[in-house]
Structures are given as structure tokens and as C-alpha cells.
Amino acid sequence: VAFGTVAKFDESVPAVELRGIADIEAMKKALAPYVEGNQNIFYMIKATGEFKTMHVRSCFASQKPYPTLSEVAKDQREFHFANTYGTVIAVWCPRYVNGINLPGWHFHYLSGDKTQGGHILGLSADHLTLKINQIERFDLTLPRNPEFAQRDLCEDLSAKTAAVEGVKK
């Protein structure tokens, strides 16, 4: 794994119902009230239910020397699923972590039977059960290897990352 955002999810939080999610923008709009009170912390969500449509992408495994995300994404696979039951797992990152992570929402899907999944490009659902956690602490663990030590971390990859992630300015 080149990069991961990991949190222990608190399942004891109350569930909220989301209805009429027509697309990924409607999902973001439905989630906006939960983060507007404090956009300087992280949030993690689980939204479970049946998705009328689910459009995801997945990249092939990489080997050393590891390519950049934009290089890997040139050879990605896209999948379209219909009437699939599963969970959206998403993280909200505050703007000040730009460069370390991507600000805003980042969505992934995993089907209930764990046979389908990936980075979400599009979705729709009539009804979802949402749980949301506020993450007020984060730890950054950096690799200890020659590849990391030699990497130019000041290289501006924002345009290439935005193209891959579909980030709208």
C-alpha cells in the first residue's frame, strides 16, 4: 500500500438515514451539514445500503520502482455495478493537510460479499444508513527506506492528482 488513511471506527454512534442520493454530488451535499460545524478535523463515514448504481475504479498492483498515482491511473480498470448491496467508506480531510492528503471527501466502496469495490467515481441510492465519526487526532507515519529518503516531496503533483481524482477547483 503506497498510502493509507486508517481509523478505528466507533460503531456505537447513532445511525442517520440518507434518502434520494442521485449521484456523488448529492452524497457530498447530504454529508455537508455534518462537517460544516468544524472543517478543521477529519471525519470518517460508513454508509450502508443497496446502491442502484455504483461506478468504481481500481488500479493494478505496482512493483518497484513504484510509479506515481497519475502513471498508475493510466492503466486503471473501471467497473459498473447495479443493485449492489454494500458500504461506502469515506474520509473527510481538512484543507490544511493538502499535499499530505486530499482535502474534502474521498469515497471507496466495498460490497457486502467483499467481491466488488474500489474508488468511487459515481453512485446512486434511494436509502442509506449512515454512521459518522469525528476524528480529532491524527498520526503521520513516514517510511524509513531509501526510496522515501531520495524522493522530492516538494514536487507539485496537484494538477496530476486532480486529474486522477476528479477534484474540481
Side-chain angles (χ1 to χ4, degrees), residues 31-98:
L31 295 173
Y34 298 100
V35 301
E36 65 189 14
N38 187 349
Q39 294 189 16
N40 290 324
I41 63 173
F42 294 77
Y43 296 86
M44 187 79 63
I45 69 151
K46 286 184 175 182
T48 303
E50 184 165 340
F51 294 86
K52 293 191 303 187
T53 60
M54 181 59 67
H55 178 198
V56 298
R57 73 144 189 255
S58 178
C59 298
F60 291 97
S62 299
Q63 306 298 323
K64 285 185 181 183
Y66 297 111
T68 64
L69 176 61
S70 60
E71 292 167 336
V72 170
K74 290 176 187 173
D75 193 26
Q76 67 184 359
R77 297 166 284 178
E78 291 187 20
F79 302 95
H80 295 268
F81 307 116
N83 303 316
T84 179
Y85 181 85
T87 303
V88 169
I89 301 104
V91 63
W92 162 271
C93 295
R95 285 186 293 179
Y96 64 84
V97 298
N98 189 27

Side-chain angles (χ1 to χ4, degrees), residues 3-5 42 93 95-103 138 140 142:
F3 180 82
T5 303
F42 294 77
C93 295
R95 285 186 293 179
Y96 64 84
V97 298
N98 189 27
I100 295 172
N101 208 326
L102 295 172
F138 75 95
L140 178 63
L142 301 172

Side-chain angles (χ1 to χ4, degrees), residues 9-17 34 46 129-133:
F9 197 83
D10 180 1
E11 291 286 353
S12 70
V13 298
V16 177
E17 304 301 313
Y34 298 100
K46 286 184 175 182
T129 301
L130 170 73
K131 290 188 175 188
I132 188 163
N133 284 188

Side-chain angles (χ1 to χ4, degrees), residues 98-138:
N98 189 27
I100 295 172
N101 208 326
L102 295 172
W105 285 109
H106 189 84
F107 297 93
H108 285 93
Y109 175 68
L110 183 61
S111 65
D113 64 5
K114 297 179 176 52
T115 63
Q116 303 169 340
H119 172 84
I120 297 175
L121 300 173
L123 59 75
S124 64
D126 290 329
H127 175 263
L128 298 173
T129 301
L130 170 73
K131 290 188 175 188
I132 188 163
N133 284 188
Q134 294 182 349
I135 311 294
E136 297 164 338
R137 173 188 170 189
F138 75 95

